[in-house]
Amino acid sequence: MQFFSSDFKLGILGGGQLGKMMLYETRKWDIYTKVMDVSPEAPCKIACNEFAEGSLMDFDAVYNFGKDVDVLTIEIENVNVDALEKLEHEGITVYPPTKTLRTIQNKATQKLFYTDHGIPTAPFTRFAYTSEIEDSISNGGLQLPFIWKSAQFGYDGQGVKVVRKIDDLTDLPNVECIAEKMIDFKNELAVIVARSSQGEVKTYPVVEMEFHPEANQVEYVICPARIDDAVAQKAKAVALKVSEHMKHVGLLAVELFQTKNNEILVNEVAPRPHNSGHYSIEASYTNQFEQHIRAILGLPLGKTDSKVAGIMVNLVGEEGHTGDVVYQNIESILEMKGVTPHIYGKKQTRPFRKMGHVTIVDEDMARAREVAQKVKETIKVVTNI
C-alpha cells in the first residue's frame, strides 16, 4: 500500500497533545489523517486533514468515524472497544488490536494478565466496589497502607490514591478497583517497546521518572536512567516479555518499579506514545511518534538510540490558577542552551493540567539535570491575575 501523498487515510482516536505530536510526523511524510475528539478546541484540530467532533466512548461515533479509514490507531486508551471490534471484524486495521486494548483498559484485568503470564508485579486484591474494602481491612484480608486504583478510566494521577487510614476511603468513587501493596522502591523506570505489524521489535533506552509528591504526575523524565547496566538489562527483558505476551502493534510504554534489592516489577502499561518518551523528539535518532507511525504501517523501525542525554520537564498548571493560560518567563528558558519548549495548544489551564513539556539535551547528564531544575523553577503555567 502506498502511504505517502496518496489516498491512504490514517484515523486517530483522540485529539490531545499525543495526537498533535504524532501529526508532526504524518505531515512530514504527507500521510492523510483523520482525527476525532470530543472537544472542538482539541490540539490536533489545526494539524490533521479531517477533524470529527465526537465522544470516544460513544459506539456510533467511533464506529462511523472508523468506517472510512484504512488504519485506525489511538492516542488515549479510553475509547469504545466494542466499536473498534466491529470495525476490526469488518476489515479495518486497528492498532493496537482490540484484544490488547481490552486487557489494558481495565487495571484489574491488566494485573491479572501479569500474574497469569509470570510477569513480576506488585501484589494486589481486586474489588467489584470500593465499598467492599473496609470489610476486607477489618477482617484482616487487607493491610494498610496500600494504593487504591480505579479499574477503569484513571490517568495522569486521576483514579489513584494512597490509602493510609480508613478515612482515606471516604471520598473515593464506589467503582471496580484494585488495592495494590505499596512497594518500597528506589526508582520508577520506563521502557518503550516498539512492535511493528511485520513483527519487528525494538526497545528505547530505559528512562528514570521523578514524580511530583502530591499530584502523582511525572515531573522529570531522565534518559538514560542513572542505574547499573545489569538493572537496565533486566528492565528491558521484563518490558519485552510484557510486549511479547500483549501482542500489541505500535508502541507499548511499560512503567516499572526498581525495588530496594533491584527486582523489577511492572506497574502498568500504555499502548501508545507516552509521556516517558517525549525526550525522544530532541534526543533520539527516531522519536517515539515517528516510531509509532512506522510500526502501525508495517514500515521498518527506526534507530532507537539517543544522540545525547535528554531530560523532559512536564509543564503543568500551577495550583490556584484556572482560566486563560499564560506561560510566564518562557523567554528566560529559551535563553538556556539545549532547551526546547513544546506547548500543547490548550487555551485553558487548571491546577496540574498537562499544558506542555520542555526538553533539555546535553552531552553531560549532570549538566542537563541542573538546567532541567532551572527550567522547572523558572517557567510557570499561570493565568492573568
Side-chain angles (χ1 to χ4, degrees):
M1 191 182 280
Q2 171 60 263
F3 304 115
F4 315 106
S5 303
S6 71
D7 294 337
F8 171 83
K9 193 180 287 191
L10 174 64
I12 302 171
L13 287 169
Q17 63 265 17
L18 298 175
K20 183 185 178 194
M21 289 183 272
M22 227 187 281
L23 292 171
Y24 297 168
E25 308 308 321
T26 58
R27 290 182 80 90
K28 183 170 78 183
W29 286 346
D30 196 33
I31 295 169
Y32 190 96
T33 51
K34 181 181 175 182
V35 175
M36 184 167 86
D37 195 87
V38 72
S39 168
E41 302 292 311
C44 274
K45 194 172 184 180
I46 59 159
C48 58
N49 298 88
E50 279 181 66
F51 182 80
E53 205 178 310
S55 165
L56 304 181
M57 294 308 296
D58 181 84
F59 180 96
D60 292 334
V62 171
Y63 176 69
N64 291 326
F65 172 83
K67 278 195 301 194
D68 73 331
V69 303
D70 297 288
V71 173
L72 187 54
T73 192
I74 60 164
E75 63 107 56
I76 186 169
E77 297 89 295
N78 296 339
V79 296
N80 191 303
V81 183
D82 293 335
L84 292 182
E85 211 160 50
K86 186 169 166 62
L87 289 164
E88 224 172 29
H89 288 321
E90 291 176 6
I92 302 294
T93 302
V94 179
Y95 291 138
T98 56
K99 193 167 181 242
T100 306
L101 210 43
R102 275 198 194 282
T103 302
I104 291 171
Q105 263 191 350
N106 183 297
K107 282 197 170 72
T109 311
Q110 193 184 132
K111 290 286 282 189
L112 287 167
F113 179 89
Y114 302 142
T115 52
D116 289 348
H117 290 89
I119 292 161
T121 192
F124 69 101
T125 310
R126 184 181 189 175
F127 295 96
Y129 298 99
T130 307
S131 55
E132 296 171 2
I133 292 179
E134 203 168 325
D135 275 352
S136 183
I137 295 169
S138 52
N139 296 336
L142 189 61
Q143 308 293 312
L144 290 160
F146 58 83
I147 312 282
W148 174 91
K149 291 182 179 179
S150 165
Q152 289 185 287
F153 311 129
Y155 66 97
D156 287 354
Q158 306 298 309
V160 179
K161 186 170 181 181
V162 178
V163 176
R164 298 183 190 281
K165 54 190 189 302
I166 296 280
D167 289 357
D168 292 339
L169 294 166
T170 310
D171 297 326
L172 294 177
N174 194 24
V175 293
E176 186 193 357
C177 58
I178 59 170
E180 192 176 79
K181 184 181 175 183
M182 283 184 77
I183 298 298
D184 189 17
F185 60 84
K186 61 178 169 187
N187 269 319
E188 292 206 42
L189 308 172
V191 178
I192 290 176
V193 184
R195 178 180 293 272
S196 87
S197 59
Q198 304 302 303
E200 187 185 1
V201 177
K202 288 194 176 180
T203 60
Y204 279 83
V206 183
V207 302
E208 173 189 346
M209 298 186 287
E210 290 184 24
F211 277 74
H212 186 284
E214 285 139 50
N216 194 37
Q217 277 183 336
V218 177
E219 268 193 314
Y220 301 103
V221 171
I222 298 167
C223 184
R226 297 164 297 184
I227 54 175
D228 291 344
D229 189 52
V231 175
Q233 292 310 319
K234 199 187 285 189
K236 281 190 178 182
V238 170
L240 281 166
K241 187 174 182 182
V242 178
S243 166
E244 189 185 319
H245 287 297
M246 286 266 178
K247 296 184 168 51
H248 67 100
V249 171
L251 297 189
L252 188 74
V254 185
E255 295 181 30
L256 306 157
F257 295 126
Q258 177 192 359
T259 68
K260 291 282 195 275
N261 56 358
N262 293 331
E263 288 307 302
I264 296 292
L265 304 178
V266 176
N267 177 17
E268 56 188 50
V269 298
R272 52 167 170 77
H274 190 253
N275 195 255
S276 65
H278 289 349
Y279 75 91
S280 65
I281 299 174
E282 277 74 36
S284 303
Y285 283 97
T286 310
N287 74 60
Q288 66 163 343
F289 300 97
E290 179 183 319
Q291 195 77 292
H292 184 72
I293 300 299
R294 286 175 178 244
I296 63 174
L297 299 184
L299 299 167
L301 296 181
K303 184 175 175 176
T304 53
D305 303 42
S306 295
K307 303 174 196 173
V308 285
I311 296 184
M312 191 246 0
V313 177
N314 271 327
L315 292 182
V316 299
E318 291 286 315
E319 289 186 80
H321 290 264
T322 299
D324 294 345
V325 65
V326 174
Y327 294 91
Q328 211 172 57
N329 305 326
I330 195 164
E331 295 86 352
S332 304
I333 69 162
L334 283 166
E335 287 175 350
M336 301 176 193
K337 286 179 183 171
V339 171
T340 307
H342 292 255
I343 304 300
Y344 296 156
K346 300 171 185 177
K347 304 289 185 273
Q348 298 288 306
T349 184
R350 57 177 181 266
F352 301 119
R353 188 185 193 194
K354 280 187 191 167
M355 301 297 290
H357 73 264
V358 180
T359 315
I360 299 93
V361 292
D362 202 300
E363 287 81 7
D364 184 287
M365 169 60 79
R367 200 161 52 212
R369 183 63 183 80
E370 275 173 32
V371 175
Q373 187 74 38
K374 208 175 291 181
V375 166
K376 186 81 186 162
E377 289 163 4
T378 304
I379 190 166
K380 300 293 173 200
V381 183
V382 295
T383 53
N384 266 328
I385 46 172

